[in-house]
Amino acid sequence: MTYVPDRITRESRRPEHGPVEGELWPVEPGRYRLVAALACPWANRAIIVRNLLGLEDVISLGLCGPTHDERSWTFDLDPGGRDPVLGMERLQEAYFRRFPDYPRGITVPAVVEESTGRLVTNDFPWITHDFFHEWREHHRADAPDLWPVALRDEMDRVMKRVFTEVNNGVYRCGFAGTQSAYDDAYARLWVALDWLEERLSTRRYLMGEAITEADVRLFTTLARFDAVYHGHFKTNRQKLVELPHLWGYARDLFQTPGFGETIDFEQIKKHYYVVHRDINPTGIVPAGPDPAVWLEPHGRG
């Protein structure tokens, strides 16, 4: 998947961090709308980071429903099936206003310019990166340091492994077209999860004693693991609840303001089990597991 590489930066200047392959847009409170879906783990990241940094009054939020067809995510949760700010029924409209012949998939998260309804970017790793680095003047006073300078090199290595082996790893299992491809994906995923289980046995969070962007990126996969990936994607060596350090860590984050309120297990299950008809042709959505377990004491304080 190739994403629109535009970035939003302070005064449209070249950012200090990362490449610039697209256009630069200026940081401007009230100009942009983050369009996301609670069902999607990649979009869930952006919602969490927006919450943690206190950007709710600076960047508005539009939510798509959990199911979609081959054309686009839709605003079917809103009255009349239209986003109340953008006036659109489908996120596809924002893509086509910017690129009339847009040839790729319509993905969330997406940042849309409110006044024109045009897509700005859907490059999800840079959206959250720039929420932290470029919107700093608008952060809440007690916002966490999601990218601590002293840890960035190690963070990059950890996040790369989490992305390739876990965030993407569950999808490699779920969409494997052959037994050998599945077997390889399954083995790689569990090597990474065992590494994380061991890492979290000696530290509260991935990078130590404070929450960073690395935790946000891992959490959205863990939150979906037992409800979806364990069965639907066949990642079933163990459930998350059977991995003591990862399970305690996941509950710790879930119970931290900014995280748990973004998790809607019914929307998550409906998205995967209804949309992925090639994997689940009946469209039956499972009733469990019980979400109440996420509120049990985690013991990691």
Side-chain angles (χ1 to χ4, degrees):
M1 176 68 72
T2 302
Y3 298 94
V4 177
D6 290 17
R7 294 176 60 185
I8 299 172
T9 65
R10 283 175 285 181
E11 300 175 354
S12 292
R13 63 164 178 75
R14 187 175 183 85
E16 298 175 7
H17 307 282
V20 178
E21 298 176 0
E23 296 181 24
L24 295 180
W25 299 63
V27 165
E28 187 177 316
R31 180 170 177 175
Y32 306 104
R33 188 163 180 81
L34 172 66
V35 178
L38 296 177
C40 171
W42 318 103
N44 197 175
R45 292 183 183 185
I47 300 172
I48 292 171
V49 171
R50 174 178 172 270
N51 288 356
L52 293 176
L53 299 178
L55 294 173
E56 296 96 326
D57 295 331
V58 179
I59 302 167
S60 68
L61 176 65
L63 292 175
C64 298
T67 61
H68 59 79
D69 57 23
E70 67 279 359
R71 289 173 57 196
S72 175
W73 294 84
T74 60
F75 295 103
D76 53 317
L77 300 177
D78 292 308
R82 290 183 178 274
D83 180 272
V85 172
L86 302 175
M88 299 174 180
E89 293 182 342
R90 291 175 174 271
L91 178 57
Q92 185 183 57
E93 297 175 47
Y95 280 69
F96 286 172
R97 287 187 188 183
R98 177 85 186 278
F99 306 104
D101 299 316
Y102 190 75
R104 298 184 290 276
I106 307 301
T107 60
V108 289
V111 177
V112 178
E113 186 177 38
E114 290 189 1
S115 61
T116 64
R118 296 186 305 157
L119 174 73
V120 175
T121 181
N122 62 347
D123 199 344
F124 66 93
W126 289 110
I127 289 174
T128 54
H129 176 282
D130 290 341
F131 278 178
F132 178 77
H133 289 286
E134 302 298 329
W135 290 81
R136 280 188 161 184
E137 294 178 5
H138 305 284
H139 289 182
R140 189 175 56 242
D142 61 348
D145 183 0
L146 297 180
W147 291 80
V149 174
L151 298 177
R152 284 182 194 169
D153 288 343
E154 184 185 4
M155 265 184 67
D156 284 341
R157 293 192 295 270
V158 169
M159 291 192 300
K160 181 177 180 180
R161 189 169 183 182
V162 166
F163 175 72
T164 58
E165 304 304 301
V166 180
N167 301 147
N168 274 345
V170 293
Y171 282 85
R172 276 197 300 272
C173 290
F175 290 103
T178 66
Q179 187 68 49
S180 61
Y182 166 75
D183 291 344
D184 178 67
Y186 180 92
R188 285 178 58 181
L189 171 66
W190 281 102
V191 166
L193 289 173
D194 286 341
W195 164 69
L196 288 165
E197 175 74 0
E198 180 179 0
R199 184 178 180 91
L200 289 165
S201 70
T202 59
R203 60 188 74 202
R204 185 173 182 182
Y205 304 112
L206 280 180
M207 304 309 302
E209 295 306 308
I211 290 170
T212 66
E213 171 96 5
D215 298 297
V216 177
R217 296 185 179 199
L218 177 58
F219 172 77
T220 59
T221 296
L222 297 182
R224 289 156 176 78
F225 199 87
D226 287 1
V228 175
Y229 303 144
H230 180 270
H232 185 59
F233 279 178
K234 309 177 184 70
T235 64
N236 60 352
R237 192 191 80 181
Q238 290 164 277
K239 296 177 181 177
L240 178 64
V241 298
E242 297 167 344
L243 299 165
H245 301 298
L246 272 166
W247 175 225
Y249 163 82
R251 296 200 311 280
D252 188 1
L253 291 175
F254 184 89
Q255 294 169 32
T256 299
F259 285 85
E261 65 266 33
T262 73
I263 301 299
D264 186 316
F265 289 109
E266 293 307 311
Q267 287 197 41
I268 288 169
K269 290 188 295 184
K270 189 174 181 181
H271 170 68
Y272 286 92
Y273 286 100
V274 172
V275 172
H276 297 164
R277 286 300 178 101
D278 50 342
I279 300 176
N280 185 45
T282 65
I284 294 172
V285 179
D290 184 355
V293 297
W294 284 87
L295 299 177
E296 294 175 356
H298 54 76
R300 291 182 65 85

